[in-house]
Amino acid sequence: MDIDFPLVLVVLTFATGLIWLADKVFFSKRRQAAGPDVGGAASDDTAEASEPWLVDLSRSFFPVLAIVLVLRSFLVEPFQIPSGSMLPTLEVGDFILVNKYAYGLRLPVAGTKVVSMGDPERGDVMVFRYPEDGATNYIKRVIGLPGDRVRYRDKQLFINDEPVAREFVARLPPMERWREEVGGVEHDVYLTLGRVAGNGEGEWLVPDGHYFVMGDNRDNSNDSRFWGTVPDELVVGKAFAIWMHWKSLTSLPSFDRVGSID
């Protein structure tokens, strides 16, 4: 079973904060009034030493947990790329940074937008929660905005009946590499040579408050062509940088791919 880390972080932060606050308001005064276990006046050191281990632990960890919660929830969150669906833009083992406020401030866990600061745009590389379970984080490129008509036929992408501009880059059997422009953003995509079974051809109308997303590895991506559009409440943030590449525990981390994400 996958661990919901944001939920665990929220629970731990509130639990340690409440324990520390309750002790500060109620129990610490009682301990000080009772004095030390052995005769003599209670000093600050004695009061600290008599502090229950759970309170001491909460007092130590709460500030750290609170800072991490704020950073992850409202500013920047790190993610690791687990699959090749965004090749060649993102490789398996890339560690990326996601801007959590680019599309507005959202409550942790619930994902409810409380402050609107912008909306996803065509060409953005976006992290979102998988619509079919509402929990697993996915990363794809935004292709269609609300009201757009998206069509994919014979490996050619159309938006509102206009073919997306592209040019051939290289043949890398079994792939072809093409440079494509979506929403003014140039990026490379992979197309598998030959016809791929279940290659996601079709036409879709993007509903209000939803986004149509696709992987750059077009014939090897589980995306909106197969399970539908992404509702706004499942949007997590905009991926903007690679900060490390570490494919497995048996290999060494690499910083050769550090840089911005197109």
Side-chain angles (χ1 to χ4, degrees):
M1 183 177 65
D2 292 335
I3 297 175
D4 190 338
F5 183 76
L7 178 59
V8 171
L9 181 60
V10 168
V11 171
L12 287 176
T13 303
F14 276 90
T16 54
L18 287 173
I19 291 171
W20 186 21
L21 179 63
D23 182 74
K24 195 76 174 176
V25 174
F26 300 108
F27 304 112
S28 64
K29 294 180 180 179
R30 295 180 185 177
R31 287 198 305 273
Q32 291 172 7
D37 294 335
V38 181
S43 66
D44 291 341
D45 291 340
T46 305
E48 287 293 328
S50 63
E51 195 173 68
W53 68 269
L54 185 58
V55 174
D56 181 55
L57 195 67
S58 298
R59 179 169 53 83
S60 301
F61 278 95
F62 171 70
V64 177
L65 291 171
I67 291 171
V68 173
L69 178 62
V70 170
L71 288 175
R72 284 180 55 97
S73 300
F74 303 114
L75 298 177
V76 175
E77 184 171 0
F79 288 91
Q80 182 183 11
I81 302 302
S83 74
S85 69
M86 281 296 292
L87 285 168
T89 305
L90 296 172
E91 297 181 0
V92 176
D94 281 347
F95 282 75
I96 64 170
L97 296 175
V98 174
N99 185 330
K100 299 296 291 288
Y101 59 86
Y103 305 139
L105 299 181
R106 299 171 184 267
L107 295 176
V109 181
T112 305
K113 185 184 290 187
V114 292
V115 179
S116 181
M117 302 178 69
D119 297 307
E121 300 179 356
R122 289 192 197 93
D124 286 357
V125 178
M126 184 174 77
V127 173
F128 55 93
R129 298 196 301 278
Y130 184 37
E132 294 199 351
D133 66 18
T136 307
N137 289 314
Y138 267 41
I139 183 167
K140 306 291 178 187
R141 191 176 299 275
V142 177
I143 300 297
L145 303 179
D148 281 349
R149 185 177 298 278
V150 178
R151 186 166 81 250
Y152 189 65
R153 189 80 62 193
D154 295 327
K155 302 187 185 297
Q156 172 68 56
L157 180 62
F158 298 81
I159 300 176
N160 298 324
D161 298 323
E162 293 291 330
V164 169
R166 64 177 187 173
E167 62 178 15
F168 180 76
V169 175
R171 184 165 181 166
L172 308 166
M175 304 286 191
E176 286 183 343
R177 185 167 182 153
W178 290 73
R179 183 152 297 134
E180 191 176 77
E181 183 179 338
V182 174
V185 178
E186 285 192 353
H187 57 278
D188 285 4
V189 300
Y190 277 160
L191 301 175
T192 304
L193 293 169
R195 187 172 181 83
V196 178
N199 59 350
E201 291 189 342
E203 185 171 313
W204 304 267
L205 180 64
V206 185
D208 288 342
H210 287 68
Y211 301 94
F212 191 94
V213 298
M214 296 176 69
D216 290 346
N217 193 358
R218 288 287 160 75
D219 296 312
N220 297 280
S221 173
N222 181 26
D223 51 41
S224 288
R225 293 170 292 172
F226 304 100
W227 41 254
T229 53
V230 179
D232 183 72
E233 58 266 24
L234 295 184
V235 171
V236 172
K238 179 181 178 180
F240 68 93
I242 301 169
W243 64 276
M244 183 178 71
H245 179 84
W246 193 8
K247 192 166 185 177
S248 69
L249 294 175
T250 58
S251 62
L252 293 175
S254 167
F255 298 93
D256 293 342
R257 290 179 47 76
V258 171
S260 61
I261 298 173
D262 295 326

